[in-house]
Amino acid sequence: MEGARFIKVEAHRGDLRWPLPQDFTQRLQGRGVERLERRAKYLLADLSSGEVLIMHLGMSGSFRVIELTRIHRPGRYYHAQPQRSAHDHVVFHMSSGALISFNDPRRFGMMKLVPRSELEQEPLLRALGPEPLAREFDATMLARLCKGKRTSLKAALSDQRVVAGLGNIYVCEALHRARLSPMRRASSIATRAGRPNERTGVLVQAIKAVLRAAIEAGGSSLRDHRRTDGALGDFQHNFRVYDRAGKPCPRPACPGTIKRVVQTGRATFFCPICQK
Ligand SMILES: [Zn+2]
């Protein structure tokens, strides 16, 4: 998409989670994508019109990218077009030759157009915490964010206002790597003054490591997640605690058994022996 123009946009229904923006296809057609970014779980396409297309996959949404030029055969162009699925709600035809379809069976995904100048005030993005892979997300920042917090460490890390885009799986996995109990108070990873203590840096490194490893593996495919070529992610095979209740703790020499508990409505998996 980056550097390409929307040649044609198909919207096969008027709504996803919310109605599509007014004149949605007309506002995209002919416009260029100057930059593609991500903020938390939102995808942002900066358009030549001065608007930003905000996209979210919701629960079951996925983008498939088909490079039409790659499968183009002289005289057989139309046969090369892939069959449209019933849940391909929005299809972008790009000047780069790519056909990009947004498929979303449960329709919790969304697309919204906002002027770039109003992005800072956008309610969907305004309250989000720092990006966990950004350089400025370090022990000093995490300590300040957790200072005085009486909630559990698990709940704090799952809160998008504390750190953006960390899902349930990756919080569980990071806490195991950092040997920290999901039940301990969030404030216990900082001093009273909100400075880092011996746990903060270890946790920050664990969060970054687990996210990098998951990205490298193409994400975790439990139900709906697919890569843009339709392939499954692989990281679910590398879980140390998530969805492993009753299994032995993978930490060498740890005699623990993975336990499942429910915290703030979400399943937590951890080892009660090596996570303190
Ligand atoms: Zn253990």
Side-chain angles (χ1 to χ4, degrees):
M1 286 179 85
E2 212 167 31
R5 267 177 311 108
F6 293 94
I7 301 274
K8 188 174 139 200
V9 175
E10 300 171 45
H12 295 292
R13 48 181 307 137
D15 61 328
L16 296 169
R17 178 174 196 166
W18 302 311
L20 286 171
Q22 213 171 4
D23 304 322
F24 180 63
T25 58
Q26 294 92 316
R27 281 159 80 181
L28 295 180
Q29 268 158 196
R31 310 299 188 180
V33 177
E34 294 179 343
R35 216 155 37 125
L36 202 55
E37 289 177 290
R38 181 192 55 76
R39 177 75 176 104
K41 296 172 186 170
Y42 294 94
L43 300 166
L44 308 175
D46 235 311
L47 308 180
S48 57
S49 60
E51 292 192 297
V52 178
L53 172 62
I54 304 178
M55 301 166 276
H56 195 291
L57 303 178
M59 303 287 287
S60 61
S62 63
F63 280 99
R64 300 288 164 89
V65 181
I66 298 139
E67 306 264 1
L68 277 185
T69 45
R70 209 183 281 169
I71 55 173
H72 173 72
R73 305 266 187 286
R76 296 190 56 201
Y77 186 83
Y78 291 103
H79 298 285
Q81 294 229 14
Q83 203 73 36
R84 189 168 83 81
S85 127
H87 302 294
D88 284 344
H89 303 309
V90 177
V91 182
F92 300 140
H93 299 252
M94 307 304 296
S95 61
S96 55
L99 194 82
I100 300 164
S101 72
F102 180 65
N103 184 285
D104 189 5
R106 295 173 67 186
R107 281 194 290 118
F108 280 104
M110 55 80 66
M111 293 193 191
K112 185 175 179 179
L113 281 163
V114 299
R116 189 182 304 156
S117 55
E118 290 169 22
L119 203 61
E120 297 256 303
Q121 292 86 51
E122 168 54 39
L124 294 170
L125 308 176
R126 205 174 39 201
L128 291 169
E131 289 290 324
L133 289 177
R135 193 167 303 166
E136 59 265 27
F137 180 72
D138 59 8
T140 305
M141 180 179 273
L142 184 61
R144 200 172 62 228
L145 290 162
C146 288
K147 176 191 171 187
K149 264 201 187 301
R150 301 171 68 88
T151 56
S152 69
L153 186 52
K154 165 85 188 303
L157 294 178
S158 306
D159 184 344
Q160 303 297 301
R161 293 166 298 185
V162 174
V163 49
L166 257 191
N168 197 36
I169 294 172
Y170 302 113
V171 173
C172 293
E173 292 294 311
L175 287 172
H176 183 264
R177 287 180 186 227
R179 297 181 171 236
L180 293 172
S181 168
M183 271 79 83
R184 68 161 50 241
R185 263 194 193 181
S187 60
S188 71
I189 64 149
T191 67
R192 267 195 189 182
R195 300 286 306 156
N197 62 20
E198 71 280 6
R199 301 179 194 105
T200 330
V202 177
L203 179 55
V204 166
Q205 288 318 308
I207 289 170
K208 290 179 190 271
V210 76
L211 290 178
R212 287 203 186 99
I215 290 167
E216 186 71 25
S220 306
S221 290
L222 293 183
R223 277 183 225 104
D224 304 303
H225 169 70
R226 293 286 184 281
R227 307 168 73 151
T228 53
D229 61 1
L232 295 170
D234 268 334
F235 196 66
Q236 64 278 15
H237 304 302
N238 300 331
F239 290 164
R240 297 187 186 181
V241 291
Y242 190 84
D243 212 15
R244 296 191 71 248
K247 302 218 167 89
C249 174
R251 192 182 307 285
C254 177
T257 301
I258 306 305
K259 254 188 95 167
R260 178 190 190 274
V261 295
V262 174
Q263 284 180 292
T264 52
R266 302 296 304 275
T268 296
F269 298 87
F270 71 108
C271 172
I273 303 293
C274 64
Q275 287 180 255
K276 296 292 181 197

